[in-house]
Amino acid sequence: MKHWTLEHEQGGIAVATLDRAGESANALSAEVMAELGELLDGLDRQPPKGLIFRSAKPAGFIAGADIDEFSQLDTPARGRALVARGWELFNRLAAVPYPTLALVRGHCLGGGLELALACRYLLAVDEPGTRLGLPEVMLGIFPGWGGMLRLPQRVGPGAALDLMLTGRTVDAQRARKMGLADDCVPPRVMDAAARQLLLSGQPRRPLPLLQRLLGGPLKGVVARGARRQVAKKARPEHYPAPYAIIELWQKHGGNALAAPEIVDRIIASPTARNLLRVFRLQERLKGFGKDGDFTAKHVHVIGAGVMGGDIAAWCALRGLRVTLQDQDIGRIAPAIQRAAKLFTRKLRDPLLARAAFDRLIPDPEGQGVAHADVVIEAIFENTDAKHALFRQLEPRLKPGAVLASNTSSLKLEDLRTVLQRPERLVGIHFFNPVAMMPLVEVVAAEGADPAALQAACAFVRQIDKLPLPVRSAPGFLVNAVLAPYMLAALRAVDDGIAPETVDAALLAFGMPMGPVELVDTVGLDVALAAGRQLADGAEAPRCLAGRVAAGQLGKKSGRGFYDWSSGKPAKAAAGAVPAGLAEKLVRPLVDRTQALVDAGIVADADLADAGVIFGTGFAPFTGGPLNHRRTGGRAI
Ligand code: NAD
């Protein structure tokens, strides 16, 4: 066998180790599955006392099915054959007469978890990399290899649907608590613990009565509740997969082959194709951080305001030592308080939160500059202030340190004129709110040092964000495409369409937030200034200029287009949406995206789509603005 090895131990235990040839992570390709079938054939002839599945990859157990094979699913018959392959093989595994155990260390996702669920026991190794989940829904498909059958049986329908419908993953301890793993042990005892559990004869923990009722006579109630939850986040015409998962669980016992029309519908839907595309684009962005050997240990952030404070907190959360500088300690304190909240929310464990807190060091004197591998400037948006700062900074930097500005609107070419080595300044442009936005633009000015840009990308990956290389130009990619879109929305308001109606039209298109609410969120003054810079000198919309003059700046002032006094926008019922409104408002965004590709600001159309999706939330099921136009999307 090419991918599996089977060892027979003294005591009669067989150990099947997956080490997929030529890949750094295990995935269940057609070949891997066929070999697993052969392996089971052999064991049928000579049954072992027990069988353990493990992985030889340091990366983890099994990352899922081989998604490259998904793109070959061009006919319904092929789609059904793919489902049948895993469904039948894992049913066979679940029925073998000897005990089986999956020793799960590192990621165990999708088809990998379905294999583990088909084993009698699941032993999770308690270390940070261990994550279990069924994220198929994020690719627009469903866990068709037994996940929809066995996960609800193991953890109860509520928890199972939650995992399958959100794509969320859980760690080893959580997996044990919810009953997904039979036990969770530290790495040093995992081999002994696996053998002991395998031969223990221990029966599966039965589900509590309530869970059995919810998975039996009360299925309909659970399914209705789940549909209501999903409907809050995803419309069936945009995202059919979560609805299919609920139906397959409720009516077909999780067996997709019993409802081939659903399989055909999902596999033929553009959503599945486009979400797969988005996944690949995300992998491509991740790849930008891979070359070279730059690793940051210490980051120094200057400016503890909205952005600098949150950037510093995020870097500390991700394990870096961070010094945070501002004009005085009083301006740093609020950022530290915000950071403490972030650590508690994200890390949950008080010891880990404490450790993150200890990594974030207030540094009003700027002593961290001399030790930092990355220095990020996030002070006021003012060229003179930034010049004065850069003059002081440059002589104190470590030789290979990255010097970056978070500027949104100033030209790097102007900012770097005061530097002895101007080519070392790069843009590392985060979005607000830092903790929520996955994209970071890495900005190259003319003649910038490629090594500095490479290091900047590696740093962005290190803190678990997605780097998008862009060339220096007003608004880079993301703000440049948002400006004409927001402008078009506000012109529609000038033309007498209610803000509620404009927002409703774009929500129906698939945007995460309506453009008028977005303007309220970023601030009307910021939108006005950005509009002036990015809208080719056109006059500002009256509805915007008027409100700014009246001091109605949006969420931050309690009132903009909407009343925010309750913390949320108070919206009246939307009127009937005029035909073609969403198309009309999205078109300028798509046009601008294309223009930026043509001008070489971003290297190609795919990267532009990735940037717009991860930087603005542009409807992912479309595959991005340019893909949407290219594939003749309904709306444009
Ligand atoms: P902010 O006004 O909230 O914070 C700026 C901070 O810098 C203040 O705390 C100020 O005291 C400090 N500061 C000013 N001069 C200083 C100096 N010489 N030394 C030390 N500290 C100094 O501003 P912000 O919104 O966080 O923006 C900061 C930068 O980030 C700007 O360049 C802006 O264009 C960019 N940016 C902002 C956003 C956003 O949504 N706010 C998004 C992306 C990028």
Side-chain angles (χ1 to χ4, degrees):
M1 286 189 287
K2 231 165 96 186
H3 308 291
W4 293 91
T5 48
L6 184 66
E7 293 156 82
H8 292 277
E9 295 185 348
Q10 287 271 315
I13 293 178
V15 180
T17 304
L18 179 57
D19 190 1
R20 191 178 174 209
E23 305 281 341
S24 60
N26 283 330
L28 297 173
S29 63
E31 257 186 31
V32 169
M33 297 289 271
E35 283 192 12
L36 175 58
E38 289 167 29
L39 190 147
L40 293 179
D41 290 343
L43 295 176
D44 277 352
R45 290 190 291 274
Q46 240 188 349
K49 256 191 162 167
L51 171 64
I52 294 177
F53 286 100
R54 58 187 281 274
S55 152
K57 303 284 190 206
F61 184 67
I62 299 173
D66 179 354
I67 61 162
D68 288 337
E69 291 177 4
F70 292 170
S71 39
Q72 297 152 18
L73 300 181
D74 44 6
T75 64
R78 287 201 173 151
R80 275 178 255 150
L82 180 84
V83 175
R85 182 206 294 163
W87 172 258
E88 283 158 11
L89 184 63
F90 291 165
N91 277 349
R92 182 178 168 201
L93 171 61
V96 296
Y98 45 87
T100 48
L101 178 144
L103 176 57
V104 172
R105 178 176 199 185
H107 53 226
C108 172
L109 303 173
L113 182 56
E114 292 177 299
L115 186 156
L117 284 166
C119 293
R120 186 177 302 172
Y121 302 113
L122 194 163
L123 183 64
V125 178
D126 189 11
E127 59 182 11
T130 299
R131 305 294 312 178
L132 297 93
L134 293 175
E136 282 84 347
V137 73
M138 292 162 99
L139 296 179
I141 54 176
F142 47 79
W145 291 353
M148 293 183 291
L149 164 70
R150 296 191 180 93
L151 188 63
Q153 289 174 345
R154 237 189 242 225
V155 303
L161 284 171
D162 176 49
L163 287 187
M164 293 192 291
L165 297 176
T166 61
R168 220 159 48 77
T169 59
V170 294
D171 62 18
Q173 298 209 14
R174 179 91 197 104
R176 179 182 48 191
K177 266 192 213 116
M178 68 196 295
L180 172 55
D182 296 275
D183 205 351
C184 125
V185 293
R188 74 196 143 75
V189 300
M190 63 181 189
D191 292 314
R195 282 154 185 79
Q196 197 181 17
L197 180 59
L198 177 70
L199 301 181
S200 66
Q202 183 181 309
R204 167 87 34 81
R205 228 190 310 173
L207 275 183
L209 178 65
L210 175 64
Q211 293 300 330
R212 275 179 282 149
L213 289 174
L214 293 174
L218 298 178
K219 255 187 167 180
V221 180
V222 176
R224 260 200 307 284
R227 271 190 204 102
R228 249 199 323 271
Q229 283 300 321
V230 169
K232 285 188 198 154
K233 298 216 173 118
R235 297 173 191 239
E237 66 273 27
H238 297 159
Y239 296 99
Y243 297 91
I245 291 173
I246 299 172
E247 193 173 339
L248 289 169
W249 168 74
Q250 183 191 5
K251 303 198 177 131
H252 306 284
N255 178 4
L257 297 175
E261 69 288 353
I262 298 185
V263 181
D264 296 354
R265 182 153 44 86
I266 294 293
I267 290 187
S269 78
T271 296
R273 219 178 10 261
N274 288 336
L275 291 182
L276 195 62
R277 167 185 162 77
V278 174
F279 178 81
R280 290 218 176 85
L281 292 176
Q282 182 174 354
E283 295 299 301
R284 195 169 159 209
L285 293 183
K286 287 182 183 171
F288 284 118
K290 286 206 175 119
D291 298 336
D293 52 6
F294 180 87
T295 325
K297 290 202 182 75
H298 179 168
V299 180
H300 184 77
V301 181
I302 307 162
V306 176
M307 294 305 290
D310 286 7
I311 293 168
W314 183 262
C315 293
L317 179 76
R318 286 286 163 251
L320 290 162
R321 180 183 149 86
V322 184
T323 39
L324 177 57
Q325 177 183 351
D326 205 301
Q327 304 179 51
D328 55 66
I329 192 86
R331 292 179 193 248
I332 304 178
I336 302 281
Q337 274 170 13
R338 281 204 313 278
K341 283 202 188 118
L342 176 79
F343 301 151
T344 314
R345 195 176 74 235
K346 289 268 180 188
L347 296 170
R348 292 200 300 254
D349 179 340
L351 284 176
L352 292 178
R354 179 78 232 174
F357 198 73
D358 290 346
R359 286 193 291 270
L360 176 59
I361 304 155
D363 181 16
E365 312 289 325
Q367 287 167 356
V369 175
H371 309 283
D373 307 300
V374 178
V375 174
I376 303 175
E377 169 279 307
I379 68 168
F380 300 140
E381 192 70 326
N382 175 297
T383 306
D384 290 338
K386 295 195 196 246
H387 275 169
L389 179 68
F390 286 148
R391 277 200 199 93
Q392 290 171 14
L393 278 181
E394 192 182 23
R396 302 180 53 216
L397 294 173
K398 274 205 315 199
V402 173
L403 175 62
S405 172
N406 186 47
T407 182
S408 292
S409 58
L410 302 175
K411 282 180 76 171
L412 292 177
E413 287 81 353
D414 294 339
L415 294 182
R416 67 185 184 177
T417 51
V418 297
L419 295 174
Q420 300 290 320
R421 284 190 47 214
E423 70 282 1
R424 81 183 303 179
L425 182 71
V426 297
I428 299 187
H429 185 236
F430 287 83
F431 296 93
N432 188 11
V434 173
M436 281 176 59
M437 301 299 293
L439 192 82
V440 173
E441 289 171 321
V442 174
V443 189
E446 197 62 41
D449 176 7
L453 291 165
Q454 182 51 51
C457 286
F459 160 69
V460 170
R461 269 316 290 149
Q462 209 187 328
I463 57 168
D464 237 349
K465 298 281 182 193
L466 300 171
L468 176 73
V470 290
R471 281 198 12 221
S472 168
F476 313 127
L477 172 72
V478 171
N479 288 343
V481 305
L482 278 178
Y485 165 66
M486 296 204 271
L487 201 65
L490 298 184
R491 297 237 184 271
V493 175
D494 273 355
D495 290 344
I497 303 177
E500 284 87 349
T501 307
V502 171
D503 280 351
L506 275 304
L507 286 176
F509 175 83
M511 296 302 196
M513 181 188 275
V516 184
E517 186 177 336
L518 183 62
V519 172
D520 261 5
T521 310
V522 299
L524 274 65
D525 51 340
V526 176
L528 184 65
R532 282 212 183 97
Q533 189 192 14
L534 299 170
D536 305 328
E539 206 167 297
R542 291 186 309 278
C543 60
L544 179 64
R547 282 181 174 78
V548 172
Q552 297 177 354
L553 302 183
K555 187 178 180 180
K556 61 185 169 190
S557 73
R559 183 167 191 97
F561 287 91
Y562 300 112
D563 180 354
W564 288 80
S565 44
S566 73
K568 288 196 170 143
K571 291 190 179 181
V577 174
L581 180 61
E583 294 83 332
K584 191 169 139 201
L585 301 185
V586 167
R587 196 173 299 123
L589 182 158
V590 186
D591 288 342
R592 181 65 65 90
T593 309
Q594 184 63 55
L596 292 171
V597 174
D598 295 343
I601 301 308
V602 53
D604 60 51
D606 281 352
L607 286 181
D609 274 352
V612 177
I613 291 172
F614 293 111
T616 74
F618 188 96
F621 73 90
T622 62
L626 298 180
N627 183 66
H628 193 52
R629 173 168 284 175
R630 200 168 48 233
T631 55
R634 267 165 307 145
I636 302 179

